[in-house]
Amino acid sequence: MNEQALLSTPPRYSRLLWPLMAALLIIGWSSGFVGIRYASEEASVALLLFWRTLLSGLILLPFALAFGPRLRWRGILEQILFGVMSVFLYLGGFALAIEQRVPTGLVALISDLVPLAIAALSQPVLGEPLSRRQWLGTAIAVSGVLIVSFDSLSFGKAPLWAYGVTVGSMLVFALASVLYRRRRTEPMPVHQSLCIHTLTGALLFGFCAMLQGGLAPPMTQDFAIGIAWLVLIATFMAYGIYYTSLRMFPVAKVSAAIYLSPPVTMLWAWALFSEPLTMAMFVGLAVTLAGVWMTSRD
């Protein structure tokens, strides 16, 4: 199916397809916390991200070579650029900020403001302006995210540049999302583009991990569980559905679903790690749901 066919998906299918894809996107996007929770105690962030991206790319490689159009250098180089932006700079920037002691709650809040940056870029870059209702929905969704994140917010004592890295990582991913939607070359199937993105990230994260001591993974059960979770759910499910959705729906509509990742992340933490739920989380979830509905509905 080519790009034009995807963009012209009949409304009767879109009404059923988008809620399902949005639900899977939210589950996948918020699940990254689970894998990191399992594996981060066993290895440095660079080593963790190296094995996450390397295994993801190697699993996808035979499918990328066997299925889909022939890979051409122009398309490969374009996807390498997206890999640098949406994998290495995005994930690596937040990881670096956390290592520099930027509070995790603040990092999570800034990362979840990606849809706001995408909404701001949609008009000048894509010519996809948001209506007044969508801007109102965006404001409501951001309010919900703030309610959910309020208890964990602090500013810490990290160096000033580390806070800039946090904001910059969020803006880089937002820019990569709108450029991915705008690209002029022949669209590449998601399994091929994601393979290139992850292998690009693996090369760069591997270099960083080498500087920190080596590439050997910890041979522990928690690290194995964390990496498997990050590869299968947080990479294949989250990134795969995100890139597929960008081809089929307006970028602001797709990104708005990410606003729901903070409350869903806290549900993951409650279900798997027995972390307490508070009334503020449920209030924030309800407010965020209302904002996402206003932003996403046709």
Side-chain angles (χ1 to χ4, degrees):
M1 185 177 290
N2 60 28
E3 185 88 354
Q4 187 61 38
L6 286 169
L7 293 177
S8 60
T9 303
R12 65 178 180 275
Y13 297 122
S14 300
R15 291 193 190 100
L16 299 174
L17 185 59
W18 169 240
L20 174 61
M21 295 185 70
L24 294 175
L25 174 61
I26 295 162
I27 292 171
W29 206 268
S30 62
S31 70
F33 158 81
V34 178
I36 291 174
R37 176 71 174 266
Y38 275 114
S40 61
E41 298 297 325
E42 309 290 334
S44 68
V45 174
L47 186 61
L48 172 64
L49 293 175
F50 166 71
W51 282 103
R52 170 186 175 174
T53 51
L54 178 65
L55 291 177
S56 299
L58 291 179
I59 291 171
L60 288 172
L61 185 59
F63 299 97
L65 295 176
F67 303 101
R70 181 181 178 183
L71 295 174
R72 301 184 183 278
W73 276 112
R74 180 180 178 183
I76 292 173
L77 292 174
E78 182 183 62
Q79 296 304 324
I80 287 175
L81 174 61
F82 285 124
V84 171
M85 296 175 71
S86 63
V87 176
F88 179 69
L89 293 179
Y90 176 61
L91 297 177
F94 287 124
L96 178 62
I98 291 173
E99 284 190 338
Q100 292 297 317
R101 299 296 185 266
V102 177
T104 304
L106 183 60
V107 172
L109 174 63
I110 293 174
S111 70
D112 291 319
L113 294 182
V114 163
L116 182 61
I118 289 177
L121 291 170
S122 293
Q123 167 62 31
V125 179
L126 298 176
E128 296 180 1
L130 271 67
S131 65
R132 291 183 180 179
R133 173 181 52 76
Q134 288 177 309
W135 277 116
L136 177 60
T138 297
I140 292 172
V142 171
S143 300
V145 171
L146 288 172
I147 292 171
V148 172
S149 306
F150 182 77
D151 288 340
S152 62
L153 281 183
S154 62
F155 287 94
K157 298 180 180 179
L160 185 61
W161 63 264
Y163 296 95
V165 166
T166 310
V167 176
S169 299
M170 180 268 291
L171 294 176
V172 163
F173 186 79
L175 180 61
S177 296
V178 295
L179 291 178
Y180 186 86
R181 170 79 174 187
R182 186 188 178 186
R183 66 200 184 287
R184 302 303 183 189
T185 58
E186 184 70 20
M188 184 180 293
V190 171
H191 68 284
Q192 290 182 326
S193 60
L194 187 55
C195 176
I196 297 171
H197 295 181
T198 51
L199 289 179
T200 301
L203 180 64
L204 297 172
F205 286 130
F207 177 75
C208 295
M210 285 290 292
L211 295 179
Q212 294 182 353
L215 301 178
M219 304 304 290
T220 64
Q221 180 178 333
D222 282 351
F223 185 79
I225 292 173
I227 289 296
W229 193 288
L230 289 170
V231 169
L232 298 176
I233 302 180
T235 300
F236 291 166
M237 184 172 174
Y239 274 87
I241 293 175
Y242 184 71
Y243 287 137
T244 302
S245 299
L246 286 180
R247 298 184 178 194
M248 302 176 68
F249 304 101
V251 63
K253 178 175 182 174
V254 173
S255 64
I258 298 174
Y259 284 127
L260 287 168
S261 64
V264 175
T265 295
M266 292 175 183
L267 292 176
W268 277 114
W270 167 75
L272 295 177
F273 306 113
S274 300
E275 293 189 6
L277 296 176
T278 65
M279 183 56 66
M281 295 177 188
F282 290 103
V283 172
L285 175 59
V287 173
T288 306
L289 275 171
V292 171
W293 176 78
M294 291 183 66
T295 305
S296 299
R297 73 185 181 92
D298 295 329

